Amino acid sequence: MRVLVLNGPNLSRLGSREPDVYGAQDLSALRILLVEHAGDAVEIDLRQTDDEAELVHWLHEAVDTSTPVILNPAAFTHYSYALSDAARMVTRAGIPLVEVHISNPHARETFRHTSVISAVATGVIAGFGFRSYVLALDAVRGAA
Ligand code: DQA
């Protein structure tokens, strides 16, 4: 089983970007954590882009290949209807899609309290640092 772990804008800067909010570890540390947690039966396909269109295309790929998705849409969470529509296609196809956030957006600025993804996601996990992704992996493993 393969799992797509898709990360949106500015998450390439993990480790140096606001470490008080997002922690001191970078994306390669996240990849190692997930690969270790996944074991041999699950292949972790972790990607990051700052490009909304690329993220949309990766969700199309998830539909076409029936691949479960762990999605941190980053700032796109709060306003990208294109991403919301693409995420809806994933879950409408019966494929699990878990929205994750490193921080708890609800404990932050007001603009972060809105997610246009949550209503079309299978579920949402937020506020546990990189453990949000680990919990999401357990969730998609159980759901797939
Ligand atoms: C984030 C929260 C978003 O509000 C923010 O724009 C991000 C990261 C998180 O993982 O906590 O870039 O998705």
Side-chain angles (χ1 to χ4, degrees), residues 1-65:
M1 173 188 172
R2 189 166 64 100
V3 176
L4 277 167
V5 183
L6 305 181
N7 293 278
N10 302 306
L11 292 172
S12 58
R13 297 290 169 149
L14 286 176
S16 59
R17 174 192 180 201
E18 299 180 77
D20 50 317
V21 176
Y22 299 113
Q25 292 192 299
D26 63 11
L27 266 189
S28 57
L30 176 62
R31 182 180 280 108
I32 290 167
L33 178 71
L34 291 176
V35 167
E36 278 174 0
H37 188 75
D40 290 340
V42 179
E43 180 196 341
I44 300 297
D45 187 347
L46 186 146
R47 308 177 190 178
Q48 187 278 330
T49 183
D50 296 332
D51 183 340
E52 185 181 22
E54 189 164 33
L55 213 41
V56 166
H57 293 154
W58 287 343
L59 292 179
H60 295 173
E61 179 191 326
V63 173
D64 293 342
T65 58

Side-chain angles (χ1 to χ4, degrees), residues 9 11 17 22 72-75 77-78 100-103 105 108 112:
L11 292 172
R17 174 192 180 201
Y22 299 113
N72 185 343
T77 306
H78 312 302
V100 299
H101 299 282
I102 298 164
S103 67
R108 301 179 62 196
R112 297 186 203 277

